[in-house]
Amino acid sequence: MEANKNIIDDLPDMMLAEILVKIPLKSNTIVKLVCKRWKSLVESTIFRNHFLSLHQKKSCSWSVFHKHHIRVNTTHELIGFYGCEKWGLPRSLGSYISSPFSDAGIEIVSFIIKAISNGLLLILTQDYMIYVGNPVLREWVKIRPCTLSLKSYFQTQKFGLATRVDENGVVLGYKVVLVNTRFENATNLTLQIYSSETGEWTCENVCCPCPIPWDSSPYPEPISVNGVLHWFGHGTINAGGIIAIDLYNTSPLRENHCWFIPFPNENLFAVDGKRSYKIWCRRACTTSEGFIMYINMVSESKMKVWRLNKNYYEIESREYWQLSSEIDLAHVDYGIGSIPIVMHPFDRNVVYLWSVEKNCLVSINMRDQNSMLHKESENYSDGCTISSLEKCKSYMEFRMDCFYKYLLISPQFSPSVWMDSVPRPPIPLCVCCGR
């Protein structure tokens, strides 16, 4: 054993990197614990770029959850793709989340997934405690209570989680946001913001350019991309739009760091004489390849997918959205009458819909217009296995009426690009001795 150890220690960095780069990311989290040299090598930019180029075509695990109460050892995973080769995760992500604190010695009965961002989850336990963590690594940070009583404001506050990452996709920090929403359609918002970099809560007042329908929408939680939270808002046009709140102030042209992004101006209302009525439509907002994506099915057969430009805070509203793809569902199997749910987080050409006719999940490739019905526990060409379709079926049947009235918000959960430790706040100083 000693001889083998010396052989490995004598290997040049490049040769050792060629060995380590072939193992999944989950194993690399253990590799970093071997010694400082290995940790430095695995966390280097050269190693990580090489890893991404080598594993870019390998399958990745991802899931869609709904945010109702989840009892420990159960899962509310609506759609799950697992069997991941890139991260080395043999089980569905729902199995990692069903009992989040199993190794931490924390006793809880139930919890709610309140927000998702870059592989981190924000959960609220039954005793109104907030945790941010990585369920795959079983690392959780308990967030100290804010000045407001969570129990008193539980029904009137909305949560958000925004992360700050470097150019390599490493999570450097995060912010937890509580929004006071006691007044429906309020434009003046009070934000309670917790920063992992300071370990403190601050209060900030934000003036929104238009009201946000907190209580009228069944999907009020935001989508987080690039440190910006995105909420659905009514707006001043028929199609509505997104309220964007930049928590890291990355938009120097916006003094308020909060602005309205209208959806593509496609009229959702028709006029019959003096009476207007809403056109039968199905809409969804999700993410793919790091972009906000908007799916619009205004007519029975047309489906359009729009991509929100990443530099939307610097350009005119008419240039906010770029048409990514458009197809006629009349020429696609199972497309007519389907409801858009989510897009593949790593491939913006793949859209997942719920077929009302087949009562089953269907995927459509927007590039070649091929479609596929999905069955639970079945392996697919990308090497992944699908799970939780029975839960998705019951959920879709329960919420069916909402899908023709509201925009469907579908944030996905997938592990972070790099499974590094969850950023922890600094230890607060003692008020007595200052240490």
Side-chain angles (χ1 to χ4, degrees):
M1 289 294 294
E2 188 67 26
N4 291 336
K5 180 181 178 180
N6 291 335
I7 292 175
I8 295 177
D9 288 343
D10 292 339
L11 288 176
D13 283 352
M14 291 304 295
M15 188 175 297
L16 180 59
E18 285 299 326
I19 297 174
L20 298 180
V21 80
K22 292 180 171 61
I23 65 176
L25 277 177
K26 186 67 165 60
S27 300
N28 271 325
T29 62
I30 302 175
V31 165
K32 292 192 294 184
L33 301 177
V34 173
C35 62
K36 292 183 178 179
R37 179 197 176 198
W38 287 29
K39 182 178 186 296
S40 176
L41 179 62
V42 171
E43 292 182 349
S44 67
T45 301
I46 295 177
F47 179 89
R48 289 181 165 177
N49 289 339
H50 187 26
F51 182 94
L52 289 179
S53 64
L54 186 65
H55 296 263
Q56 62 180 342
K57 294 184 178 180
K58 289 190 175 181
S59 58
C60 301
S61 297
W62 63 280
S63 296
V64 177
F65 297 92
H66 71 68
K67 299 171 184 174
H68 295 168
H69 274 283
I70 301 176
R71 296 192 67 83
V72 173
N73 297 324
T74 63
T75 178
H76 281 222
E77 187 179 41
L78 296 182
I79 306 172
F81 286 87
Y82 66 98
C84 172
E85 298 174 349
K86 181 177 180 180
W87 285 291
L89 305 177
R91 310 194 315 268
S92 168
L93 292 174
S95 66
Y96 295 94
I97 299 171
S98 62
S99 183
F101 304 117
S102 59
D103 302 328
I106 301 173
E107 296 293 335
I108 63 169
V109 177
S110 65
F111 61 94
I112 306 175
I113 300 174
K114 301 299 295 185
I116 301 170
S117 181
N118 277 309
L120 299 183
L121 292 183
L122 170 65
I123 70 172
L124 182 70
T125 63
Q126 80 280 354
D127 56 353
Y128 305 102
M129 292 293 102
I130 301 174
Y131 292 86
V132 173
N134 184 324
V136 177
L137 294 182
R138 302 291 190 183
E139 289 188 10
W140 294 92
V141 176
K142 184 177 181 179
I143 306 301
R144 54 175 293 192
C146 68
T147 54
L148 298 176
S149 168
L150 282 178
K151 187 174 182 179
S152 300
Y153 285 82
F154 177 65
Q155 296 296 332
T156 58
Q157 283 186 336
K158 302 305 175 186
F159 289 70
L161 177 68
T163 48
R164 183 171 68 90
V165 299
D166 64 11
E167 64 276 6
N168 297 315
V170 177
V171 178
L172 302 176
Y174 53 84
K175 290 187 177 182
V176 176
V177 180
L178 305 182
V179 184
N180 191 331
T181 60
R182 284 186 290 175
F183 301 102
E184 168 71 0
N185 291 328
T187 55
N188 295 315
L189 303 178
T190 299
L191 308 183
Q192 296 282 337
I193 304 175
Y194 174 87
S195 172
S196 66
E197 298 176 25
T198 63
E200 301 291 338
W201 288 91
T202 58
C203 184
E204 182 175 338
N205 294 317
V206 173
C207 181
C208 290
C210 69
I212 301 178
W214 299 106
D215 298 326
S216 61
S217 172
Y219 311 103
E221 306 299 344
I223 294 178
S224 174
V225 175
N226 300 324
V228 180
L229 296 181
H230 304 80
W231 272 281
F232 171 68
H234 282 312
T236 56
I237 58 175
N238 291 337
I242 294 174
I243 299 293
I245 300 179
D246 184 359
L247 295 178
Y248 284 97
N249 298 338
T250 58
S251 52
L253 301 182
R254 306 279 181 170
E255 294 182 0
N256 193 35
H257 306 296
C258 177
W259 59 97
F260 177 68
I261 305 170
F263 284 128
N265 191 10
E266 298 199 349
N267 204 334
L268 303 182
F269 291 81
V271 178
D272 183 9
K274 295 183 178 181
R275 186 171 65 92
S276 64
Y277 57 93
K278 195 169 186 178
I279 298 174
W280 184 77
C281 63
R282 297 142 292 164
R283 301 185 297 152
C285 209
T286 183
T287 56
S288 183
E289 298 182 1
F291 290 87
I292 298 284
M293 309 296 289
Y294 173 63
I295 309 170
N296 190 356
M297 301 171 67
V298 175
S299 66
E300 176 67 17
S301 60
K302 295 288 186 180
M303 180 169 71
K304 295 183 179 181
V305 177
W306 303 80
R307 185 183 73 180
L308 181 63
N309 289 308
K310 283 191 175 181
N311 60 335
Y312 52 77
Y313 50 78
E314 298 176 353
I315 55 183
E316 298 297 329
S317 59
R318 60 184 175 84
E319 298 176 351
Y320 279 145
W321 297 93
Q322 177 182 347
L323 184 63
S324 176
S325 53
E326 177 182 1
I327 62 172
D328 187 347
L329 296 175
H331 304 300
V332 179
D333 292 337
Y334 322 116
I336 297 294
S338 295
I339 299 171
I341 302 177
V342 73
M343 297 187 66
H344 195 294
F346 311 111
D347 187 348
R348 62 185 175 88
N349 292 299
V350 179
V351 181
Y352 292 90
L353 308 95
W354 188 260
S355 173
V356 178
E357 175 188 358
K358 297 294 184 179
N359 201 19
C360 183
L361 185 71
V362 59
S363 64
I364 297 177
N365 190 310
M366 301 291 285
R367 187 189 298 109
D368 54 27
Q369 300 190 19
N370 288 331
S371 61
M372 177 191 303
L373 286 177
H374 291 272
K375 298 180 181 179
E376 188 161 343
S377 301
E378 184 175 1
N379 293 319
Y380 292 94
S381 57
D382 61 357
C384 279
T385 302
I386 197 169
S387 66
S388 303
L389 287 188
E390 282 302 315
K391 292 183 181 295
C392 186
K393 177 180 177 181
S394 59
Y395 178 78
M396 294 298 292
E397 291 174 349
F398 176 70
R399 309 294 297 188
M400 188 62 68
D401 291 342
C402 296
F403 301 138
Y404 299 101
K405 300 177 182 178
Y406 302 105
L407 177 82
L408 176 60
I409 307 294
S410 298
Q412 310 101 321
F413 174 73
S414 60
S416 55
V417 178
W418 304 110
M419 288 193 185
D420 294 314
S421 296
V422 179
R424 294 183 177 272
I427 300 175
L429 297 176
C430 176
V431 295
C432 297
C433 64
R435 297 181 179 178

